[in-house]
Amino acid sequence: MISKTGAAVVAAIVLASSATTAAATDFSGIYGGLSAGKAFGDGTHYATGSATAYGTASPDTALVGGVFGWNQRAGDFVYGVEFGLSAGVSDGSVFNHSCACSSMQLSFDRAIEIGLRGGWVSGDTLFYGALGAAHLSFQERYTTISTPNAINMKNSDTVPYLGLGVEHAVAEGWSIRGEYRHYFNVTTTNPATAYPASLSTLSSGRRDYDFGVFAITLTRYF
């Protein structure tokens, strides 16, 4: 994911530097914003009690969301706290497993996040880092040849994240930013319950995710 992180940060820098600057916000105070972006990564799947992966799928999903936060500025340094919500609005990838099920579709479902931001202002641009915690949810849909859409379930985990971003002031009280966030140690476990015979390996099966999000946010300072 290092290369994807680097690409996302470069994209954010290009976005910020190409924006038209006006007499703009100083990045302090209460703010709210709307976001759109992309969740991407890999989900590795393990059958019950097995240390050997039997399949992978990607939760690549378009997303929309919103943020609400507060910043304080001290000289050229800005720090603050932020709360965010986001939801997936498209389906992820399908993987044909080596198990008896015919296919599985994995999608990012939603995230609830709270964290800290801190960075340095240069002109009308804020370069910042972010850290916090996120409650992530993933949608998994399994099918069999004989039983279409046999299993639909949502699994979740609460994990730390780190982010890098660039925010550029575009008008009085308005800014646009690009940010990449990477989420660490994301693991979910299927419920230990009765499944159709052809999907019996899913009971208590584990999912490990290498997962990140890149989003563009239009922000209004009040």
Side-chain angles (χ1 to χ4, degrees):
M1 298 298 296
I2 299 297
S3 61
K4 289 184 178 180
T5 305
V9 173
V10 169
I13 293 172
V14 171
L15 172 69
S17 63
S18 63
T20 301
T21 303
T25 179
D26 65 354
F27 305 106
S28 66
I30 296 172
Y31 64 87
L34 298 176
S35 304
K38 178 79 169 178
F40 51 85
D42 296 299
T44 304
H45 306 267
Y46 300 86
T48 308
S50 174
T52 302
Y54 71 88
T56 62
S58 175
D60 290 2
T61 308
L63 61 87
V64 296
V67 298
F68 179 79
W70 170 84
N71 285 341
Q72 177 68 40
R73 181 162 176 172
D76 290 331
F77 183 68
V78 172
Y79 59 92
V81 61
E82 182 174 281
F83 175 78
L85 294 169
S86 60
V89 292
S90 67
D91 292 329
S93 70
V94 174
F95 182 87
N96 291 318
H97 289 281
S98 58
C99 68
C101 55
S102 62
S103 67
M104 183 216 72
Q105 185 170 61
L106 174 65
S107 304
F108 166 71
D109 182 54
R110 63 173 59 93
I112 302 172
E113 302 173 87
I114 187 168
L116 303 175
R117 291 203 306 156
W120 192 261
V121 177
S122 177
D124 290 329
T125 303
L126 170 64
F127 301 88
Y128 68 90
L131 62 88
H135 183 74
L136 304 176
S137 177
F138 299 90
Q139 174 75 42
E140 300 178 13
R141 182 167 69 247
Y142 297 85
T143 66
T144 66
I145 296 174
S146 60
T147 313
N149 298 317
I151 299 291
N152 281 280
M153 59 188 170
K154 293 180 181 179
N155 292 334
S156 61
D157 194 14
T158 300
V159 299
Y161 70 79
L162 291 176
L164 289 174
V166 178
E167 183 173 353
H168 189 77
V170 294
E172 183 67 31
W174 291 91
S175 71
I176 190 168
R177 79 188 197 202
E179 181 183 334
Y180 172 78
R181 288 185 180 181
H182 191 77
Y183 303 85
F184 296 89
N185 303 318
V186 185
T187 298
T188 67
T189 302
N190 291 342
T193 186
Y195 290 84
S198 60
L199 298 174
S200 60
T201 57
L202 301 179
S203 180
S204 300
R206 191 177 89 247
R207 312 288 176 257
D208 292 341
Y209 298 92
D210 184 14
F211 183 70
V213 166
F214 180 72
I216 303 295
T217 303
L218 178 64
T219 303
R220 171 65 173 168
Y221 285 83
F222 300 98

